[in-house]
Amino acid sequence: MKKQSNNVLIISIALFMATFMSAIEGTIVSTAMPTIVGDLHGVSIMNWVFSIYLLTTAISTPIYGKLSDQFGRKKVFIFGISIFLIGSILSGLANSMNVLILWRAIQGIGAGVIMPLSYTIIADIYSDENRGKILGLNGAVWGIASIIAPLFGGYIVDNLSWHWIFFINVPLGILVLLVFIISFKETKALVKNSVDYLGMIYLSLLLLFLMYIIQLISNLSNNWQPISYCTFISILLLILFVRREHCADNPIIPMKLMHNRTFVVQNIIAFLISGFLMGLEVYLPVWTQGIFGYPATVSGFAITPTSILWILGAFVSGWLLSRMKPFYATMIGLFFILAAAIWVVLLPFNVSFGWFFAIAAVCGIGFGITITNGTVISQNSVDKGDIGVATSFNTLCRIFGQTLIVAILGIVMNRQLKIGILHTDDSNMGMINKLVNFKTSHEIPAKLLEPLRTVLYNSLHKVFWVCLIIIIIAVLVNLYDRLSEK
């Protein structure tokens, strides 16, 4: 890629704006979800609003990276941002939960372009000496967006409408598109690598079937026939995908990486920790709004410390890795997350709001250390020629972890809610939809308010027990890597 004709500063700002747009979209929906559920109903499928977005983002991320080598950065980036904007507009216009889930899928397909191509374009337009600084600034933009997103989302929901959490992407996205159309010039130096389209199809279908199986299990149905059929198809797709990746010239996931124990262990940990993170961001706002009865603006404060302390944890990660073995550095991060997970499980019904603030802060430090460690250790455990693939795979594991684990947590939540409703006289799932929305909770009969809050508390308690088990598994996986060295 040639750099002479690029207006580097303007392009960099546009990339920062795209990163901001993507980062804020990832967390702002969490704060608004109780209000969305209250308006559109469908608390039993609300996890799909997150899962489908993450799933399509995960699937499209490696595809955009490979297509940009074939067709150029500019065309692919503009295409992806355009899809993201279309999905954002249609999500804001959604009038049912099913329709919202559909448009979130489209939005996720577009969002997959932002992370891989932002890093690639920065590498194209900056020298090796300056690239690290710009990547650091891009990371800081992501951190700032994650900090303000819950508060911004709460303000929008309380003062405007939840629809605007999607519409705010439009002016930013249009500005990014204009900058790239006018200012970004590239001389084609395309790499003629084959694109593993068949592998992409197998992987996409495999993930979709896995998500569908999870949804079938969550329906409290005794009909296991469709589940068994989908399970068989999923196993067949997995076999086809692995065989394809072994013989493909340019595979999405090179199978040789699977023989590297440290690499595999770090990505399993990234998968598990990212799922726990998503559970925290989805269900803490449900607790603060549904049980405490707080508005969305206040609810946003419950997860804000996670983003702030994440930045600190990322800096601590570098210091730890320079002074001790990776195993110990990762274990320190996991210790913080494990302590927070135990803390959440022990919270009583009438806990004060301040404890959530403290728990989110402890989690933020742990996430910053563990996730950063996972990326760096994954890169250092492979050959130099595989660093790009290793980084992409680590990103995919994090997204897959968020996608699949939040769906599993949704099963736990839905089944416990349905059981609780069955044992609560004169109640139904529609009342739970109203309960988790500050603006509609007053419509519930007074005599049912506390019983329904108890049902919600018990359901959330089960969810966080599963989260604790996930962190314990992550600790054991890290220990396995250490024990295997001896």
Side-chain angles (χ1 to χ4, degrees):
M1 295 289 174
K2 302 291 184 180
K3 306 178 187 123
Q4 297 96 316
S5 58
N6 283 302
N7 188 327
V8 174
L9 178 61
I10 293 178
I11 294 299
S12 300
I13 293 172
L15 290 174
F16 294 161
M17 289 169 59
T19 297
F20 181 87
M21 184 171 62
S22 175
I24 203 170
E25 184 61 33
T27 52
I28 196 172
V29 178
S30 299
T31 306
M33 184 49 60
T35 303
I36 295 174
V37 169
D39 187 13
L40 301 182
H41 308 296
V43 68
S44 62
I45 58 172
M46 74 174 187
N47 59 294
W48 274 86
V49 177
F50 304 97
S51 297
I52 199 67
Y53 176 84
L54 293 169
L55 177 64
T56 53
T57 300
I59 293 170
S60 60
T61 292
I63 296 174
Y64 283 123
K66 292 183 181 294
L67 292 180
S68 70
D69 288 334
Q70 296 277 38
F71 304 109
R73 320 290 191 217
K74 183 174 182 177
K75 289 181 180 178
V76 175
F77 193 78
I78 289 174
F79 174 80
I81 294 294
S82 300
I83 296 297
F84 180 82
L85 290 179
I86 292 170
S88 297
I89 293 170
L90 294 174
S91 294
L93 295 173
N95 57 5
S96 73
M97 192 65 83
N98 289 326
V99 171
L100 176 60
I101 290 169
L102 172 63
W103 299 137
R104 283 281 284 175
I106 303 299
Q107 192 185 30
I109 291 173
V113 80
I114 295 174
M115 186 181 294
L117 259 67
S118 291
Y119 289 145
T120 305
I121 292 171
I122 287 173
D124 288 341
I125 65 178
Y126 281 96
S127 64
D128 293 342
E129 294 77 20
N130 295 321
R131 191 180 305 159
K133 298 177 183 178
I134 302 302
L135 289 174
L137 286 174
N138 198 57
V141 169
W142 188 282
I144 291 169
S146 299
I147 291 169
I148 69 171
L151 305 178
F152 192 34
Y155 177 82
I156 290 174
V157 169
D158 289 341
N159 294 277
L160 296 172
S161 165
W162 65 263
H163 302 274
W164 284 94
I165 68 171
F166 299 108
F167 293 150
I168 58 172
N169 294 322
V170 177
L172 272 179
I174 290 175
L175 191 55
V176 170
L177 283 177
L178 289 175
V179 168
F180 266 80
I181 291 170
I182 296 171
S183 301
F184 187 53
K185 313 293 181 185
E186 63 176 350
T187 301
K188 292 183 180 178
L190 307 181
V191 180
K192 296 300 181 181
N193 286 332
S194 60
V195 179
D196 185 16
Y197 292 110
L198 189 56
M200 294 174 185
I201 293 171
Y202 287 150
L203 180 60
S204 302
L205 290 174
L206 171 62
L207 292 171
L208 286 171
F209 270 96
L210 288 174
M211 293 293 294
Y212 185 57
I213 290 169
I214 292 171
Q215 184 62 32
L216 288 174
I217 294 173
S218 69
N219 289 333
L220 282 180
S221 172
N222 293 321
N223 185 7
W224 289 92
Q225 190 173 25
I227 296 175
S228 60
Y229 289 154
C230 290
T231 301
F232 173 78
I233 295 172
S234 297
I235 294 171
L236 178 62
L237 287 167
L238 177 61
I239 294 171
L240 291 172
F241 175 70
V242 172
R243 289 186 61 185
R244 174 63 187 174
E245 297 308 280
H246 274 297
C247 64
D249 294 331
N250 190 22
I252 300 174
I253 304 174
M255 290 294 106
K256 66 177 181 178
L257 296 179
M258 299 300 106
H259 300 292
N260 185 323
R261 187 191 65 249
T262 298
F263 177 80
V264 172
V265 163
Q266 288 300 321
N267 284 285
I268 291 174
I269 292 173
F271 175 91
L272 296 169
I273 296 303
S274 298
F276 175 81
L277 165 65
M278 199 64 190
L280 202 71
E281 291 188 346
V282 171
Y283 291 106
L284 278 189
V286 173
W287 188 319
T288 54
Q289 294 184 59
I291 296 177
F292 293 162
Y294 290 157
T297 305
V298 177
S299 177
F301 280 105
I303 55 177
T304 298
T306 298
S307 302
I308 298 174
L309 274 298
W310 187 310
I311 299 171
L312 174 62
F315 283 110
V316 171
S317 168
W319 183 84
L320 291 173
L321 287 174
S322 67
R323 285 164 173 77
M324 61 182 67
K325 291 184 177 180
F327 163 80
Y328 295 106
T330 299
M331 192 59 76
I332 289 173
L334 289 173
F335 172 78
F336 278 96
I337 303 173
L338 178 63
I342 295 172
W343 200 350
V344 173
V345 167
L346 296 177
L347 290 178
F349 178 85
N350 58 348
V351 65
S352 66
F353 181 78
W355 290 114
F356 289 94
F357 205 81
I359 290 168
V362 173
C363 279
I365 297 173
F367 291 142
I369 295 172
T370 308
I371 296 296
T372 306
N373 281 0
T375 303
V376 174
I377 297 170
S378 295
Q379 293 172 336
N380 292 341
S381 65
V382 301
D383 298 332
K384 285 188 177 180
D386 293 325
I387 288 178
V389 175
T391 305
S392 297
F393 185 74
N394 182 258
T395 302
L396 287 174
C397 285
R398 287 157 55 185
I399 299 175
F400 289 162
Q402 292 176 337
T403 306
L404 297 179
I405 291 178
V406 78
I408 292 170
L409 296 178
I411 292 176
V412 176
M413 182 76 172
N414 294 339
R415 292 178 72 91
Q416 195 61 34
L417 282 174
K418 290 175 181 177
I419 292 170
I421 290 297
L422 289 174
H423 292 84
T424 305
D425 294 336
D426 302 322
S427 65
N428 54 59
M429 193 61 74
M431 292 180 179
I432 296 292
N433 290 326
K434 292 180 179 180
L435 180 67
V436 297
N437 182 1
F438 170 77
K439 296 180 178 180
T440 58
S441 59
H442 66 276
E443 299 176 11
I444 299 173
K447 68 176 183 177
L448 288 177
L449 201 55
E450 283 306 304
L452 288 176
R453 282 177 173 164
T454 300
V455 169
L456 183 60
Y457 168 78
N458 290 334
S459 302
L460 290 169
H461 200 241
K462 287 289 192 300
V463 165
F464 288 119
W465 263 110
V466 176
C467 288
L468 174 58
I469 293 170
I470 289 169
I471 301 305
I472 292 173
I473 294 173
V475 172
L476 294 175
V477 168
N478 195 48
L479 283 171
Y480 168 77
D481 190 29
R482 174 63 175 171
L483 294 173
S484 298
E485 292 178 356
K486 298 181 178 180

